[in-house]
Amino acid sequence: MAAQSATASRSGLRSALPLLAPAYIWLTVAIFLPLSAMVFFSFMTDLPLSGKPWAFTLGNYAAFFSQSLYLTLLLASLRLGLEVTLWCIVIGYPAAYVLAKVLKGRSREAIFLLVILPFWSNGLVRIFSWAMVLREGGILDTALNAVLPFKINIDLMYSYPAVIIGLVHSYVPYMVLTCYLTLQAIDDSLIEAGRSLGATRLQVLKRVIIPLSMPGLVAGAALIFVPVVGSFMEPRILGGRTGTFYGTVIEDQFVAVFNWPLGAALSFILLAVVLVILAIASPVLRRAA
Amino acid sequence: MATTRILEGLGRLYIGLLLAFLYLPIIIMALMSFNVSPFYQLPFEWTTEWYASLWQNDQLIAATWNSLEIAILTTIISVVLGSAASLALFRYEFLGKKVLQALLFPPIAIPWLITGTAMLIFFFGVGIGRGLFAILLGHVALALPYVIVVVSARLQTFAPELEEAARSLGANQWQVTVRVTLPWIMPGVIAGGLFAFAVSFDQFVVSYFLSTPGQTTLPVEIYAAIRKGFTPEINAVSTIIIVVSMALMLLTARFFKFGGEK
């Protein structure tokens, strides 16, 4: 054993297998088999375990395509994902730029940590905290009425903007993180070179900084868009009755209506959409890595 | 030069506004947990009665214990299995290694709504059913990819020659691993463990689909309470959770640099 020099050349798979097997068996049982089972169940009329008779059917998919409701909701969720992603870019990119290129040393480290810290705290709690701010008689309402000379009623709670605000708050740290990583890697001398050759600040931004940070923007966009399209808890809490989206309909199939096969079909359609989006984003991401 | 200074000042101001956007709702939510009015009415009057009444809420306390137990078990299991897998992926070359590494991304990238409902269907179908065991199975699977990615990142900084040196000095495989490799990757292992704890302790979606009325976790219990109506008790428990998870992540940051600079 000791005679062999490079670790890499030692008989690969047989030595690796005992170390790898437990983790990958676990992933198979809890992730990959369930995803396959979901595809299988989506073609059934009923669950085989419930004792009731079942048969194979395309009905669950036919339901999606024949009733415009599901397609409308999927489009609404895709639009929600797009809007939230755009707001995250508008808000997050400048912040990432300031972090990467303006702040330095310890203050940069501390502020960077502060920006991504909420991201690792409970998402449900953060959505709940917006309910405190947005509801009628909430903080926003009270504060604005204290400042303004006339009486206004701000009741954003249970509206589409409330859902957008909550989701942007939840996901903007992702965009700051991914853009910061690519912006930080841009050599300052490239920016200086552009400036000394006579380019304006705006030209440098458009021709040098944005193209070079594109991988971070795309990574952030993919990381935000995908979970937002599948969100259901945020629209439920902040959207109320206006908060019906594709995700909430899937939730209903599993916890209220108990039509699991239809839920599985709807989930699988969402998975297909998500995979297409990740596939579109992946060339840009691979170039970054 | 003057414009540069103005722009930098504006940049700092902007970051300040972003931090206010990120933290103000949380701070307000926390303050309301110390306010007397059950309808969140101002003026603010200090009280700790909502925390006291949490103490009487057996359902919430049971759910908290479940959450802690599952998070601790998830941490231990995923750190052991994940570190072993990372070591194997680092040390050995074999066919299909790229595929195994690529397989780590679907669990991270696929929305939890899909993973959670898929687990519900499958666990129900094979007879595992719902409940705490199913939740644990799910949480470990969600945490494993994070642990493997974080530990692997740390392993990238490890020089394989150190293992060679130890081996040539007569150490066996076990001794090499425990005395040389493990101490080096320890910061990564600890960071991975804290990630795993956070993934499990804050997990809502997957737990939601896998829980039953008696066997549930804290976030699921809070979601049920929120949908019944807002009470300062929810603020109190939320404040506790947010303080715990933020403290945990600050701890993680000590062991693992997110910014990739060092």
Side-chain angles (χ1 to χ4, degrees):
Chain A
M1 287 282 273
Q4 276 180 324
S5 52
T7 38
S9 72
R10 270 187 292 119
S11 61
L13 194 59
R14 201 178 307 158
S15 330
L17 207 57
L19 292 171
L20 282 173
Y24 278 90
I25 288 172
W26 200 298
L27 285 176
T28 306
V29 169
I31 303 252
F32 301 122
L33 284 179
L35 287 175
S36 326
M38 191 181 74
V39 178
F40 186 67
F41 274 109
S42 69
F43 290 102
M44 287 182 169
T45 51
D46 211 326
L47 287 184
L49 271 196
S50 56
K52 284 177 270 177
W54 58 275
F56 284 104
T57 176
L58 287 172
N60 300 313
Y61 290 95
F64 176 85
F65 289 104
S66 64
Q67 295 178 28
S68 60
L69 170 75
Y70 299 121
L71 196 62
T72 310
L73 287 174
L74 182 58
L75 289 176
S77 284
L78 290 171
R79 185 184 142 205
L80 181 71
L82 207 62
E83 281 186 35
V84 170
T85 308
L86 285 177
W87 278 113
C88 286
I89 291 175
V90 169
I91 296 172
Y93 190 83
Y97 183 82
V98 175
L99 269 171
K101 295 293 175 207
V102 177
L103 300 176
K104 294 194 174 58
R106 301 216 44 178
S107 72
R108 164 157 82 181
E109 258 176 56
I111 289 175
F112 180 69
L113 192 60
L114 273 178
V115 171
I116 59 167
L117 190 59
F119 186 69
W120 284 104
S121 63
N122 196 295
L124 179 66
V125 167
R126 280 182 297 145
I127 290 295
F128 170 67
S129 74
W130 273 103
M132 297 288 100
V133 176
L134 296 175
R135 77 204 166 81
E136 195 184 355
I139 295 300
L140 192 64
D141 197 17
T142 315
L144 280 178
N145 276 311
V147 177
L148 295 172
F150 49 89
K151 174 96 181 113
I152 48 162
N153 271 328
I154 301 279
D155 187 9
L156 279 176
M157 195 60 191
Y158 305 129
S159 69
Y160 187 70
V163 179
I164 298 266
I165 293 172
L167 284 167
V168 169
H169 181 254
S170 296
Y171 288 103
V172 75
Y174 251 149
M175 188 59 77
V176 178
L177 177 67
T178 56
C179 290
Y180 170 76
L181 291 178
T182 47
L183 282 168
Q184 203 205 13
I186 299 175
D187 198 333
D188 282 341
S189 59
L190 282 176
I191 298 167
E192 280 155 31
R195 292 280 287 155
S196 69
L197 289 170
T200 63
R201 284 174 205 280
L202 210 63
Q203 281 172 321
V204 170
L205 184 71
K206 261 199 330 224
R207 299 278 184 80
V208 181
I209 299 172
I210 291 181
L212 283 174
S213 57
M214 205 38 107
L217 273 169
V218 174
L223 285 172
I224 292 166
F225 185 80
V226 168
V228 169
V229 173
S231 63
F232 68 93
M233 169 268 280
E234 297 89 344
R236 277 260 196 259
I237 296 176
L238 294 177
R241 245 179 305 155
T242 62
T244 306
F245 287 94
Y246 194 69
T248 58
V249 170
I250 295 180
E251 181 204 3
D252 279 339
Q253 303 310 316
F254 285 96
V255 302
V257 189
F258 296 108
N259 189 346
W260 288 15
L262 177 61
L266 295 176
S267 271
F268 182 64
I269 290 167
L270 179 60
L271 180 62
V273 171
V274 163
L275 289 179
V276 167
I277 290 159
L278 288 177
I280 294 170
S282 76
V284 188
L285 297 179
R286 208 165 305 146
R287 222 176 305 145
Chain B
M1 269 293 96
T3 13
T4 310
R5 205 162 308 148
I6 291 169
L7 283 175
E8 286 188 4
L10 282 176
R12 291 211 169 83
L13 181 73
Y14 181 72
I15 291 276
L17 287 175
L18 178 72
L19 287 178
F21 171 68
L22 288 176
Y23 283 92
L24 271 183
I26 299 172
I27 291 168
I28 288 163
M29 191 270 301
L31 280 176
M32 286 300 168
S33 72
F34 293 106
N35 190 12
V36 168
S37 164
F39 307 109
Y40 307 109
Q41 265 156 355
L42 299 174
F44 185 84
E45 271 179 89
W46 176 270
T47 180
T48 52
E49 70 171 290
W50 306 114
Y51 288 87
S53 68
L54 270 190
W55 212 229
Q56 310 297 322
N57 192 332
D58 294 333
Q59 220 176 327
L60 219 52
I61 289 178
T64 307
W65 281 119
N66 289 341
S67 275
L68 280 175
E69 271 173 48
I70 286 177
I72 290 168
L73 283 174
T74 299
T75 307
I76 296 169
I77 298 170
S78 61
V79 159
V80 172
L81 302 191
S83 303
S86 320
L87 265 181
L89 290 172
F90 174 71
R91 272 190 192 153
Y92 308 112
E93 288 300 328
F94 51 87
L95 206 70
K97 182 168 150 176
K98 286 253 153 61
V99 177
L100 285 188
Q101 282 169 324
L103 277 179
L104 295 174
F105 290 97
I108 297 179
I110 294 174
W112 284 332
L113 171 67
I114 298 175
T115 328
T117 52
M119 284 177 185
L120 170 60
I121 291 174
F122 179 72
F123 291 165
F124 212 82
V126 297
I128 296 171
R130 285 180 283 185
L132 294 179
F133 179 66
I135 294 174
L136 179 67
L137 268 178
H139 283 196
V140 172
L142 293 181
L144 264 176
Y146 288 99
V147 175
I148 297 176
V149 168
V150 171
V151 175
S152 295
R154 177 72 192 175
L155 272 167
Q156 291 303 318
T157 67
F158 180 71
E161 300 81 45
L162 288 175
E163 286 194 347
E164 295 302 315
R167 223 170 270 129
S168 70
L169 290 169
N172 61 32
Q173 186 65 35
W174 176 250
Q175 286 170 319
V176 169
T177 304
V178 172
R179 298 273 185 85
V180 180
T181 321
L182 219 52
W184 181 269
I185 63 170
M186 210 26 122
V189 173
I190 293 172
L194 289 164
F195 266 95
F197 189 93
V199 165
S200 169
F201 191 71
D202 290 336
Q203 178 54 242
F204 162 67
V205 179
V206 167
S207 313
Y208 174 59
F209 287 109
L210 296 179
S211 66
T212 58
Q215 303 192 11
T216 176
T217 64
L218 192 52
V220 180
E221 201 64 37
I222 293 176
Y223 182 64
I226 288 176
R227 296 196 65 184
K228 261 184 254 160
F230 307 148
T231 65
E233 235 181 86
I234 303 176
N235 292 51
V237 68
S238 297
T239 305
I240 296 174
I241 292 187
I242 219 133
V243 168
V244 168
S245 51
M246 283 194 178
L248 214 67
M249 284 327 285
L250 281 175
L251 212 64
T252 314
R254 269 189 59 87
F255 289 99
F256 192 78
K257 288 261 179 186
F258 296 104
E261 45 183 340
K262 192 171 191 173

